Each structure stands twice: as C-alpha cells, then as structure tokens.
Short mmCIF file of all heavy atoms in Angstrom, two decimals:
data_model
loop_
_atom_site.label_atom_id
_atom_site.label_comp_id
_atom_site.label_asym_id
_atom_site.label_seq_id
_atom_site.Cartn_x
_atom_site.Cartn_y
_atom_site.Cartn_z
N MET A 1 27.70 40.34 -11.21
CA MET A 1 27.13 39.68 -10.08
C MET A 1 27.30 38.18 -10.23
O MET A 1 27.17 37.65 -11.31
CB MET A 1 25.65 40.00 -9.99
CG MET A 1 25.27 40.56 -8.67
SD MET A 1 23.51 40.79 -8.52
CE MET A 1 23.50 42.54 -8.51
N ASN A 2 27.58 37.52 -9.13
CA ASN A 2 27.72 36.08 -9.17
C ASN A 2 26.34 35.42 -9.02
O ASN A 2 25.58 35.78 -8.14
CB ASN A 2 28.62 35.58 -8.05
CG ASN A 2 30.05 36.01 -8.25
OD1 ASN A 2 30.44 36.33 -9.36
ND2 ASN A 2 30.82 36.04 -7.18
N SER A 3 26.07 34.47 -9.89
CA SER A 3 24.82 33.73 -9.76
C SER A 3 25.09 32.44 -9.01
O SER A 3 26.21 31.93 -9.00
CB SER A 3 24.24 33.41 -11.14
OG SER A 3 25.14 32.60 -11.86
N PRO A 4 24.09 31.88 -8.33
CA PRO A 4 24.30 30.64 -7.58
C PRO A 4 24.70 29.51 -8.53
O PRO A 4 24.21 29.42 -9.65
CB PRO A 4 22.95 30.35 -6.95
CG PRO A 4 22.12 31.54 -7.15
CD PRO A 4 22.74 32.38 -8.20
N THR A 5 25.59 28.69 -8.08
CA THR A 5 26.01 27.57 -8.90
C THR A 5 25.15 26.35 -8.60
O THR A 5 24.46 26.31 -7.59
CB THR A 5 27.49 27.22 -8.64
OG1 THR A 5 27.61 26.81 -7.28
CG2 THR A 5 28.40 28.40 -8.90
N ARG A 6 25.22 25.38 -9.46
CA ARG A 6 24.44 24.17 -9.27
C ARG A 6 24.94 23.39 -8.07
O ARG A 6 24.24 22.55 -7.54
CB ARG A 6 24.52 23.30 -10.52
CG ARG A 6 23.89 23.95 -11.72
CD ARG A 6 23.83 23.02 -12.84
NE ARG A 6 22.61 22.24 -12.69
CZ ARG A 6 22.28 21.22 -13.43
NH1 ARG A 6 23.07 20.82 -14.38
NH2 ARG A 6 21.15 20.58 -13.22
N ARG A 7 26.14 23.63 -7.63
CA ARG A 7 26.72 22.87 -6.52
C ARG A 7 26.54 23.58 -5.17
O ARG A 7 27.27 23.34 -4.23
CB ARG A 7 28.18 22.60 -6.80
CG ARG A 7 28.39 21.77 -8.04
CD ARG A 7 29.84 21.52 -8.28
NE ARG A 7 30.07 21.04 -9.62
CZ ARG A 7 30.18 19.76 -9.94
NH1 ARG A 7 30.06 18.85 -9.04
NH2 ARG A 7 30.38 19.41 -11.19
N SER A 8 25.59 24.45 -5.08
CA SER A 8 25.36 25.16 -3.82
C SER A 8 24.56 24.31 -2.84
O SER A 8 24.42 24.69 -1.68
CB SER A 8 24.66 26.48 -4.08
OG SER A 8 23.38 26.26 -4.62
N TRP A 9 24.05 23.17 -3.29
CA TRP A 9 23.23 22.35 -2.39
C TRP A 9 23.99 21.84 -1.16
O TRP A 9 23.40 21.75 -0.09
CB TRP A 9 22.58 21.17 -3.14
CG TRP A 9 23.55 20.16 -3.69
CD1 TRP A 9 24.05 20.13 -4.95
CD2 TRP A 9 24.12 19.05 -2.99
NE1 TRP A 9 24.91 19.06 -5.07
CE2 TRP A 9 24.97 18.38 -3.90
CE3 TRP A 9 23.99 18.56 -1.69
CZ2 TRP A 9 25.69 17.25 -3.53
CZ3 TRP A 9 24.71 17.43 -1.33
CH2 TRP A 9 25.54 16.79 -2.25
N PRO A 10 25.30 21.53 -1.23
CA PRO A 10 25.96 21.09 0.01
C PRO A 10 25.93 22.15 1.10
O PRO A 10 25.79 21.84 2.28
CB PRO A 10 27.40 20.80 -0.41
CG PRO A 10 27.34 20.57 -1.88
CD PRO A 10 26.23 21.46 -2.37
N TYR A 11 26.04 23.42 0.68
CA TYR A 11 26.00 24.51 1.67
C TYR A 11 24.62 24.65 2.27
O TYR A 11 24.48 24.88 3.48
CB TYR A 11 26.44 25.81 1.02
CG TYR A 11 27.82 25.75 0.42
CD1 TYR A 11 28.00 25.72 -0.95
CD2 TYR A 11 28.94 25.66 1.24
CE1 TYR A 11 29.27 25.64 -1.50
CE2 TYR A 11 30.21 25.57 0.70
CZ TYR A 11 30.37 25.56 -0.67
OH TYR A 11 31.62 25.46 -1.20
N ALA A 12 23.59 24.49 1.46
CA ALA A 12 22.22 24.59 1.97
C ALA A 12 21.92 23.45 2.94
O ALA A 12 21.34 23.67 4.00
CB ALA A 12 21.23 24.57 0.80
N VAL A 13 22.30 22.24 2.57
CA VAL A 13 22.07 21.08 3.44
C VAL A 13 22.82 21.25 4.76
O VAL A 13 22.27 21.02 5.84
CB VAL A 13 22.45 19.76 2.74
CG1 VAL A 13 22.47 18.60 3.71
CG2 VAL A 13 21.51 19.48 1.57
N THR A 14 24.07 21.67 4.67
CA THR A 14 24.87 21.88 5.87
C THR A 14 24.25 22.96 6.76
O THR A 14 24.15 22.78 7.98
CB THR A 14 26.31 22.28 5.51
OG1 THR A 14 26.86 21.25 4.68
CG2 THR A 14 27.16 22.47 6.73
N ALA A 15 23.79 24.05 6.17
CA ALA A 15 23.19 25.12 6.95
C ALA A 15 21.92 24.65 7.65
O ALA A 15 21.70 24.98 8.83
CB ALA A 15 22.87 26.31 6.05
N ILE A 16 21.10 23.88 6.97
CA ILE A 16 19.87 23.38 7.57
C ILE A 16 20.17 22.44 8.73
O ILE A 16 19.56 22.54 9.80
CB ILE A 16 19.00 22.68 6.50
CG1 ILE A 16 18.48 23.71 5.50
CG2 ILE A 16 17.85 21.92 7.14
CD1 ILE A 16 17.85 23.13 4.27
N VAL A 17 21.15 21.55 8.55
CA VAL A 17 21.50 20.60 9.62
C VAL A 17 22.10 21.34 10.81
O VAL A 17 21.78 21.06 11.96
CB VAL A 17 22.45 19.52 9.08
CG1 VAL A 17 23.01 18.68 10.20
CG2 VAL A 17 21.73 18.64 8.06
N VAL A 18 22.96 22.34 10.55
CA VAL A 18 23.55 23.11 11.65
C VAL A 18 22.47 23.89 12.40
O VAL A 18 22.48 23.95 13.64
CB VAL A 18 24.65 24.05 11.11
CG1 VAL A 18 25.07 25.08 12.15
CG2 VAL A 18 25.85 23.24 10.66
N LEU A 19 21.52 24.48 11.68
CA LEU A 19 20.43 25.20 12.34
C LEU A 19 19.59 24.28 13.21
O LEU A 19 19.16 24.64 14.31
CB LEU A 19 19.56 25.92 11.32
CG LEU A 19 20.17 27.17 10.70
CD1 LEU A 19 19.29 27.69 9.56
CD2 LEU A 19 20.37 28.24 11.75
N ALA A 20 19.34 23.07 12.72
CA ALA A 20 18.59 22.09 13.52
C ALA A 20 19.38 21.74 14.79
O ALA A 20 18.80 21.65 15.88
CB ALA A 20 18.31 20.84 12.69
N PHE A 21 20.68 21.57 14.64
CA PHE A 21 21.52 21.27 15.79
C PHE A 21 21.50 22.40 16.81
O PHE A 21 21.34 22.18 18.02
CB PHE A 21 22.96 21.01 15.32
CG PHE A 21 23.91 20.71 16.42
CD1 PHE A 21 23.90 19.48 17.07
CD2 PHE A 21 24.84 21.65 16.82
CE1 PHE A 21 24.79 19.21 18.10
CE2 PHE A 21 25.74 21.39 17.85
CZ PHE A 21 25.71 20.17 18.49
N GLU A 22 21.63 23.63 16.32
CA GLU A 22 21.62 24.79 17.21
C GLU A 22 20.26 25.04 17.85
O GLU A 22 20.18 25.67 18.91
CB GLU A 22 22.07 26.03 16.45
CG GLU A 22 23.54 26.04 16.09
CD GLU A 22 23.97 27.28 15.35
OE1 GLU A 22 23.11 28.07 14.95
OE2 GLU A 22 25.19 27.43 15.18
N SER A 23 19.20 24.53 17.22
CA SER A 23 17.86 24.72 17.77
C SER A 23 17.52 23.68 18.83
O SER A 23 16.43 23.69 19.37
CB SER A 23 16.82 24.63 16.64
OG SER A 23 17.01 25.69 15.75
N GLY A 24 18.45 22.77 19.08
CA GLY A 24 18.25 21.81 20.15
C GLY A 24 17.58 20.51 19.72
O GLY A 24 17.06 19.80 20.57
N TRP A 25 17.60 20.22 18.42
CA TRP A 25 17.01 18.96 17.97
C TRP A 25 17.82 17.80 18.52
O TRP A 25 19.02 17.90 18.74
CB TRP A 25 17.00 18.89 16.45
CG TRP A 25 16.00 19.77 15.78
CD1 TRP A 25 15.51 20.96 16.22
CD2 TRP A 25 15.39 19.56 14.50
NE1 TRP A 25 14.64 21.49 15.31
CE2 TRP A 25 14.56 20.64 14.26
CE3 TRP A 25 15.50 18.54 13.57
CZ2 TRP A 25 13.81 20.74 13.09
CZ3 TRP A 25 14.75 18.63 12.40
CH2 TRP A 25 13.90 19.72 12.18
N GLU A 26 17.15 16.69 18.72
CA GLU A 26 17.82 15.46 19.17
C GLU A 26 18.64 14.88 18.02
O GLU A 26 18.31 15.08 16.86
CB GLU A 26 16.78 14.45 19.64
CG GLU A 26 15.98 14.90 20.85
CD GLU A 26 16.85 15.04 22.08
OE1 GLU A 26 17.76 14.21 22.29
OE2 GLU A 26 16.61 15.99 22.85
N PRO A 27 19.70 14.13 18.35
CA PRO A 27 20.53 13.52 17.29
C PRO A 27 19.73 12.64 16.32
O PRO A 27 19.99 12.65 15.12
CB PRO A 27 21.55 12.70 18.07
CG PRO A 27 21.67 13.40 19.38
CD PRO A 27 20.29 13.91 19.68
N ALA A 28 18.78 11.91 16.82
CA ALA A 28 17.97 11.05 15.94
C ALA A 28 17.15 11.88 14.95
O ALA A 28 17.01 11.51 13.79
CB ALA A 28 17.05 10.16 16.77
N GLU A 29 16.65 13.02 15.42
CA GLU A 29 15.90 13.91 14.52
C GLU A 29 16.81 14.51 13.45
O GLU A 29 16.41 14.64 12.29
CB GLU A 29 15.24 15.03 15.33
CG GLU A 29 14.18 14.55 16.29
CD GLU A 29 13.68 15.67 17.20
OE1 GLU A 29 14.52 16.47 17.67
OE2 GLU A 29 12.48 15.72 17.42
N ILE A 30 18.01 14.86 13.85
CA ILE A 30 18.96 15.45 12.90
C ILE A 30 19.37 14.41 11.86
O ILE A 30 19.48 14.72 10.66
CB ILE A 30 20.18 16.04 13.63
CG1 ILE A 30 19.72 17.23 14.48
CG2 ILE A 30 21.26 16.47 12.65
CD1 ILE A 30 20.78 17.80 15.38
N ARG A 31 19.59 13.17 12.29
CA ARG A 31 19.91 12.10 11.33
C ARG A 31 18.78 11.90 10.34
O ARG A 31 19.01 11.75 9.13
CB ARG A 31 20.22 10.79 12.06
CG ARG A 31 21.61 10.69 12.59
CD ARG A 31 21.94 9.29 13.04
NE ARG A 31 21.02 8.78 14.06
CZ ARG A 31 21.19 8.94 15.36
NH1 ARG A 31 22.23 9.57 15.83
NH2 ARG A 31 20.31 8.43 16.20
N SER A 32 17.55 11.90 10.83
CA SER A 32 16.39 11.74 9.95
C SER A 32 16.30 12.91 8.97
O SER A 32 16.05 12.70 7.78
CB SER A 32 15.11 11.65 10.76
OG SER A 32 15.10 10.50 11.57
N LEU A 33 16.49 14.11 9.46
CA LEU A 33 16.45 15.28 8.61
C LEU A 33 17.54 15.22 7.54
O LEU A 33 17.26 15.46 6.36
CB LEU A 33 16.65 16.56 9.44
CG LEU A 33 16.79 17.87 8.68
CD1 LEU A 33 15.49 18.19 7.92
CD2 LEU A 33 17.17 19.00 9.61
N ALA A 34 18.75 14.85 7.92
CA ALA A 34 19.85 14.76 6.97
C ALA A 34 19.56 13.70 5.91
O ALA A 34 19.83 13.92 4.72
CB ALA A 34 21.16 14.45 7.69
N ALA A 35 19.00 12.58 6.32
CA ALA A 35 18.67 11.52 5.37
C ALA A 35 17.63 12.00 4.37
O ALA A 35 17.74 11.77 3.16
CB ALA A 35 18.18 10.28 6.10
N VAL A 36 16.60 12.68 4.85
CA VAL A 36 15.55 13.19 3.96
C VAL A 36 16.13 14.22 3.00
O VAL A 36 15.81 14.21 1.79
CB VAL A 36 14.38 13.79 4.78
CG1 VAL A 36 13.44 14.59 3.90
CG2 VAL A 36 13.65 12.70 5.52
N LEU A 37 16.97 15.10 3.49
CA LEU A 37 17.58 16.11 2.62
C LEU A 37 18.46 15.48 1.54
O LEU A 37 18.42 15.90 0.38
CB LEU A 37 18.39 17.10 3.45
CG LEU A 37 17.57 18.05 4.34
CD1 LEU A 37 18.51 18.85 5.24
CD2 LEU A 37 16.69 18.95 3.51
N LEU A 38 19.22 14.45 1.91
CA LEU A 38 20.07 13.80 0.92
C LEU A 38 19.25 13.05 -0.13
O LEU A 38 19.60 13.05 -1.31
CB LEU A 38 21.05 12.86 1.62
CG LEU A 38 22.14 13.57 2.41
CD1 LEU A 38 23.03 12.56 3.14
CD2 LEU A 38 22.99 14.44 1.50
N VAL A 39 18.16 12.43 0.29
CA VAL A 39 17.27 11.78 -0.68
C VAL A 39 16.66 12.82 -1.62
O VAL A 39 16.58 12.61 -2.84
CB VAL A 39 16.17 10.97 0.04
CG1 VAL A 39 15.08 10.53 -0.93
CG2 VAL A 39 16.78 9.75 0.73
N LEU A 40 16.26 13.94 -1.07
CA LEU A 40 15.71 15.01 -1.89
C LEU A 40 16.73 15.51 -2.92
O LEU A 40 16.40 15.71 -4.09
CB LEU A 40 15.23 16.16 -1.00
CG LEU A 40 14.62 17.37 -1.70
CD1 LEU A 40 13.37 16.95 -2.46
CD2 LEU A 40 14.30 18.44 -0.68
N VAL A 41 17.96 15.69 -2.49
CA VAL A 41 19.02 16.12 -3.41
C VAL A 41 19.24 15.07 -4.49
O VAL A 41 19.38 15.40 -5.67
CB VAL A 41 20.33 16.39 -2.63
CG1 VAL A 41 21.52 16.52 -3.57
CG2 VAL A 41 20.19 17.64 -1.78
N ALA A 42 19.23 13.80 -4.11
CA ALA A 42 19.41 12.72 -5.09
C ALA A 42 18.29 12.71 -6.12
O ALA A 42 18.53 12.52 -7.33
CB ALA A 42 19.50 11.37 -4.39
N VAL A 43 17.06 12.92 -5.68
CA VAL A 43 15.92 12.95 -6.61
C VAL A 43 16.03 14.14 -7.56
O VAL A 43 15.82 14.00 -8.77
CB VAL A 43 14.59 12.98 -5.83
CG1 VAL A 43 13.43 13.31 -6.73
CG2 VAL A 43 14.37 11.66 -5.11
N ILE A 44 16.37 15.29 -7.03
CA ILE A 44 16.52 16.47 -7.87
C ILE A 44 17.67 16.28 -8.86
O ILE A 44 17.55 16.63 -10.04
CB ILE A 44 16.74 17.74 -7.00
CG1 ILE A 44 15.47 18.04 -6.22
CG2 ILE A 44 17.17 18.91 -7.85
CD1 ILE A 44 15.65 19.09 -5.15
N TYR A 45 18.77 15.71 -8.40
CA TYR A 45 19.91 15.47 -9.29
C TYR A 45 19.53 14.50 -10.41
O TYR A 45 19.86 14.72 -11.57
CB TYR A 45 21.08 14.91 -8.48
CG TYR A 45 22.30 14.62 -9.30
CD1 TYR A 45 23.10 15.64 -9.79
CD2 TYR A 45 22.65 13.31 -9.59
CE1 TYR A 45 24.21 15.38 -10.55
CE2 TYR A 45 23.77 13.04 -10.37
CZ TYR A 45 24.56 14.07 -10.83
OH TYR A 45 25.65 13.79 -11.59
N ALA A 46 18.84 13.41 -10.05
CA ALA A 46 18.42 12.44 -11.05
C ALA A 46 17.45 13.06 -12.06
O ALA A 46 17.54 12.80 -13.25
CB ALA A 46 17.78 11.24 -10.38
N ALA A 47 16.55 13.88 -11.59
CA ALA A 47 15.60 14.53 -12.49
C ALA A 47 16.30 15.51 -13.42
O ALA A 47 15.93 15.62 -14.60
CB ALA A 47 14.51 15.25 -11.69
N SER A 48 17.29 16.20 -12.92
CA SER A 48 18.00 17.17 -13.76
C SER A 48 18.87 16.47 -14.80
O SER A 48 19.07 16.98 -15.89
CB SER A 48 18.84 18.12 -12.93
OG SER A 48 19.95 17.45 -12.36
N ARG A 49 19.37 15.29 -14.50
CA ARG A 49 20.16 14.54 -15.48
C ARG A 49 19.29 14.03 -16.61
O ARG A 49 19.74 13.93 -17.74
CB ARG A 49 20.85 13.35 -14.79
CG ARG A 49 22.03 13.78 -13.97
CD ARG A 49 22.81 12.61 -13.49
NE ARG A 49 23.16 11.78 -14.64
CZ ARG A 49 24.21 10.98 -14.67
NH1 ARG A 49 24.98 10.92 -13.62
NH2 ARG A 49 24.48 10.23 -15.72
N ASP A 50 18.04 13.71 -16.32
CA ASP A 50 17.13 13.25 -17.36
C ASP A 50 16.79 14.36 -18.33
O ASP A 50 16.47 14.11 -19.49
CB ASP A 50 15.83 12.70 -16.74
CG ASP A 50 16.05 11.38 -16.03
OD1 ASP A 50 17.08 10.73 -16.28
OD2 ASP A 50 15.20 10.99 -15.20
N ASN A 51 16.82 15.60 -17.88
CA ASN A 51 16.48 16.74 -18.73
C ASN A 51 17.64 17.19 -19.60
O ASN A 51 17.46 17.96 -20.52
CB ASN A 51 16.01 17.92 -17.88
CG ASN A 51 14.65 17.66 -17.26
OD1 ASN A 51 13.86 16.87 -17.78
ND2 ASN A 51 14.39 18.28 -16.15
N ASP A 52 18.86 16.75 -19.28
CA ASP A 52 20.03 17.19 -20.06
C ASP A 52 20.18 16.43 -21.35
O ASP A 52 19.74 15.44 -21.66
CB ASP A 52 21.30 17.03 -19.23
CG ASP A 52 21.36 18.07 -18.11
OD1 ASP A 52 20.61 19.08 -18.19
OD2 ASP A 52 22.12 17.86 -17.16
#
C-alpha cells in the first residue's frame, strides 16, 4: 500500500481552493483562503524542519 508522502500538501491546498471556487466564493475570499493555507503550510514546514 502506498502511504501519503510529505509533499501531498500541494494537492490538498489545490483541492481546497478549487472546492471554494466551485462553491461560489468570491475571488477576494479565495485569495484570502489561499494566503492563509500557504502561511499554514509554511508554519508546519518550519516546525518540521526544527524537529529534524
């Protein structure tokens, strides 16, 4: 069985943004969502580098 890789976050972020788009969110809301998701990914990435 294949286990999820550490680089699966781009697919998750893309899926969330696409779902927001398909749900009728305004472009400004989608930009804000994407910015928050990217900051969250950066924080998680930085925290995981400190543990290595």
Side-chain angles (χ1 to χ4, degrees):
M1 234 185 249
N2 292 339
S3 62
T5 63
R6 296 187 86 187
R7 299 180 195 264
S8 63
W9 65 265
Y11 302 108
V13 169
T14 302
I16 292 168
V17 171
V18 167
L19 286 173
F21 180 73
E22 289 181 351
S23 296
W25 287 29
E26 296 295 322
E29 295 173 319
I30 294 173
R31 278 192 303 270
S32 296
L33 174 65
V36 168
L37 290 173
L38 289 176
V39 168
L40 180 62
V41 167
V43 168
I44 292 169
Y45 179 74
S48 70
R49 284 188 54 154
D50 289 342
N51 291 334
D52 289 342

